[in-house]
Structures are given as structure tokens and as C-alpha cells.
């Protein structure tokens, strides 16, 4: 993506405010390897300055981060080795074009691929067997409640979808009850780094009973797929 991952669609110096658009660069999505997107921030402030006022004034613009990073970890419960290359990882969404007010303008859905991936062993299981995990990190644009982004992890050997979940629904599960009244969109905009751990059985299928989102252990009952 060069020195930046996003660009103005038209010159903001000659474009009316409500016609300004910011888009994700095409080359950030055309590579077979994902991109660690450069952080994109949005902010606005309304001030009124008299044309005759020559006094120096300083204003603070509160900024919101529009880019996210998700690190996904798969762990085998019986200690069998896992290899990140055995899986295809992606996030699908429709969030590459921004309006002047930071709203998302629908375009063609895109796929965000891992910009980093690897294998690791965090230690031993209770029976002394070395635990085996693999992981991938994906960088992606703003999450908005009007969209339906999905995290999809596919077993490369047969195309079986190990994970296919509505990403926002699952991230919402980690919101503390202390912030129960906080709107979901505000919650998504306040956080930009996410971590999820999924546990697999010996057939490399997800045990759909528990995941870890950031530092929260989430036990799955009946969540809409």
C-alpha cells in the first residue's frame, strides 16, 4: 500500500465538504497476502472565527481510529500439531469507502487476508502433552453495525469451513456489563485491537461451546450464525 492505505477520491481543497470521500487503496486488497493497514483516523470540530480576528487560537480535534487488527488463534485440545498453512483465513466486509461524516458507503464486498501468520506452543496440557496453536492476524477497515462482516477460516484439505461467524455479534459478547448502556457502534469504535481464541477437536473442527475474545471467556449458548 505504499506510504498510506487510504486516499481522497477527489481533492479535498476543491471539493465541497459533503462530497469528500476517502477510499481504501485497491493495491491493499489485490495481493495474495493481506496488508497491515496504515492507521486511519477521523475527527471533526465546529468552530466560528471572525474574519477580523487575528488572535491565535488553538483547538483540539478528538480523533477516532477507523482501522482494526484481529489476531485469531486456533488451539488443538488434544495437543496434535497445528499448521497455519493448513487453513485459509479471511474477513469479509463492505467497508472500503468513507463519506465526509465517516459513514460507510456500500461498495463491492471485499476480503481481508492475513498480513502475518505462524505456529506456536504455549506450554503443556494437563497430561503433559505439548499444546499446539496456530494463528493469523488480519487488518481491516471500520466495523459498522449496519454491515455483516464474517470471520471465515477454511480447512484447506477439503474446503470445510472450520469457522464462519458474524464477527460483530461475537465481538459484542466481550462488552462488559459495566458498559451495558453503551451503544454497540460506540463500543466498536472505541476498540481497535481484538484477539480471539477458538478450540478445535481432533478433526480440526471448532468446539462450538467456548471461545476467548480479548481477555473474556465466552461460553456459547444460542447465538445466531
Amino acid at each position: 500500500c505504499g506510504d498510506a492505505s487510504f486516499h481522497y477520491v477527489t481533492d479535498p481543497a476543491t471539493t465541497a465538504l459533503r462530497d469528500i470521500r476517502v477510499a481504501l487503496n485497491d493495491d491493499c486488497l489485490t495481493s495474495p497476502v493481506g496488508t497491515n493497514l496504515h492507521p486511519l483516523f477521523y475527527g471533526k470540530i465546529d468552530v466560528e472565527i471572525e474574519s477580523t480576528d487575528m488572535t491565535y487560537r488553538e483547538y483540539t480535534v478528538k480523533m477516532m481510529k477507523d482501522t482494526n487488527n484481529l489476531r485469531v488463534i486456533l488451539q488443538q485440545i488434544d495437543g496434535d500439531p497445528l499448521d497455519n498453512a493448513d487453513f485459509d483465513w479471511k474477513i469479509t466486509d463492505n467497508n472500503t469507502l468513507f463519506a465526509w461524516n465517516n459513514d460507510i458507503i456500500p461498495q463491492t464486498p471485499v476480503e481481508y487476508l492475513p498480513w502475518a501468520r505462524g505456529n506456536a506452543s504455549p506450554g503443556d496440557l494437563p497430561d503433559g502433552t505439548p499444546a499446539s496453536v496456530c494463528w493469523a492476524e488480519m487488518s481491516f477497515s471500520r466495523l459498522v453495525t449496519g454491515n455483516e462482516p464474517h470471520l471465515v477460516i477454511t480447512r484447506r484439505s477439503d474446503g470445510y469451513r472450520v469457522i464462519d461467524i458474524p464477527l460483530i455479534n461475537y465481538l459484542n459478547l466481550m462488552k462488559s456489563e459495566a458498559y451495558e448502556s453503551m451503544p454497540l457502534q460506540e463500543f466498536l469504535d472505541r476498540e481497535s485491537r481484538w484477539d480471539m481464541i477458538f478450540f478445535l477437536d481432533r478433526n480440526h473442527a471448532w468446539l462450538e461451546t467456548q471461545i476467548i475474545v480479548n481477555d473474556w471467556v465466552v461460553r456459547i449458548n444460542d447465538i445466531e450464525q
Side-chain angles (χ1 to χ4, degrees):
C1 289
D3 295 330
S5 301
F6 296 82
H7 66 279
Y8 286 108
V9 176
T10 57
D11 184 356
T14 58
T15 304
L17 175 62
R18 292 183 177 274
D19 293 328
I20 290 177
R21 302 287 185 268
V22 172
L24 180 64
N25 296 344
D26 289 339
D27 60 353
C28 291
L29 295 167
T30 55
S31 171
V33 178
T35 301
N36 186 12
L37 302 178
H38 296 84
L40 176 68
F41 293 88
Y42 170 83
K44 67 182 181 70
I45 186 173
D46 295 323
V47 298
E48 185 174 339
I49 302 175
E50 297 291 340
S51 60
T52 57
D53 186 359
M54 301 301 292
T55 304
Y56 172 80
R57 297 179 182 273
E58 183 176 300
Y59 300 92
T60 299
V61 180
K62 295 182 179 180
M63 307 297 289
M64 183 181 73
K65 191 176 182 183
D66 277 333
T67 44
N68 296 268
N69 190 82
L70 172 65
R71 184 178 178 97
V72 182
I73 297 173
L74 301 181
Q75 178 167 346
Q76 184 80 314
I77 60 170
D78 61 4
D80 282 351
L82 284 176
D83 190 337
N84 72 87
D86 291 336
F87 302 92
D88 290 318
W89 320 62
K90 66 182 179 181
I91 292 173
T92 61
D93 205 348
N94 188 338
N95 58 350
T96 59
L97 182 63
F98 290 84
W100 69 278
N101 59 356
N102 211 36
D103 284 348
I104 296 295
I105 301 174
Q107 299 291 292
T108 303
V110 298
E111 296 180 352
Y112 297 96
L113 304 179
W115 64 269
R117 50 199 294 174
N119 307 314
S121 177
D124 293 341
L125 298 173
D127 63 1
T129 303
S132 177
V133 305
C134 63
W135 56 269
E137 287 195 54
M138 286 160 281
S139 182
F140 51 99
S141 184
R142 186 187 183 202
L143 293 170
V144 294
T145 56
N147 284 359
E148 297 181 354
H150 269 243
L151 169 65
V152 181
I153 303 176
T154 305
R155 198 164 55 204
R156 186 169 290 181
S157 62
D158 58 4
Y160 174 76
R161 289 194 171 189
V162 178
I163 308 290
D164 186 352
I165 62 171
L167 184 58
I168 289 177
N169 292 19
Y170 277 68
L171 296 181
N172 186 37
L173 294 175
M174 66 152 288
K175 186 172 69 170
S176 170
E177 290 303 306
Y179 307 110
E180 181 182 8
S181 62
M182 179 185 293
L184 177 55
Q185 186 60 61
E186 181 180 351
F187 171 68
L188 296 173
D189 288 334
R190 284 177 175 269
E191 186 64 72
S192 64
R193 303 192 66 84
W194 311 88
D195 300 285
M196 304 181 78
I197 302 176
F198 296 88
F199 297 92
L200 307 184
D201 64 19
R202 65 185 56 198
N203 296 315
H204 289 184
W206 176 31
L207 294 173
E208 299 180 32
T209 56
Q210 176 179 310
I211 63 172
I212 298 177
V213 184
N214 285 10
D215 293 331
W216 294 81
V217 177
V218 180
R219 301 190 182 279
I220 308 301
N221 293 318
D222 296 318
I223 186 165
E224 180 182 352
Q225 296 286 333

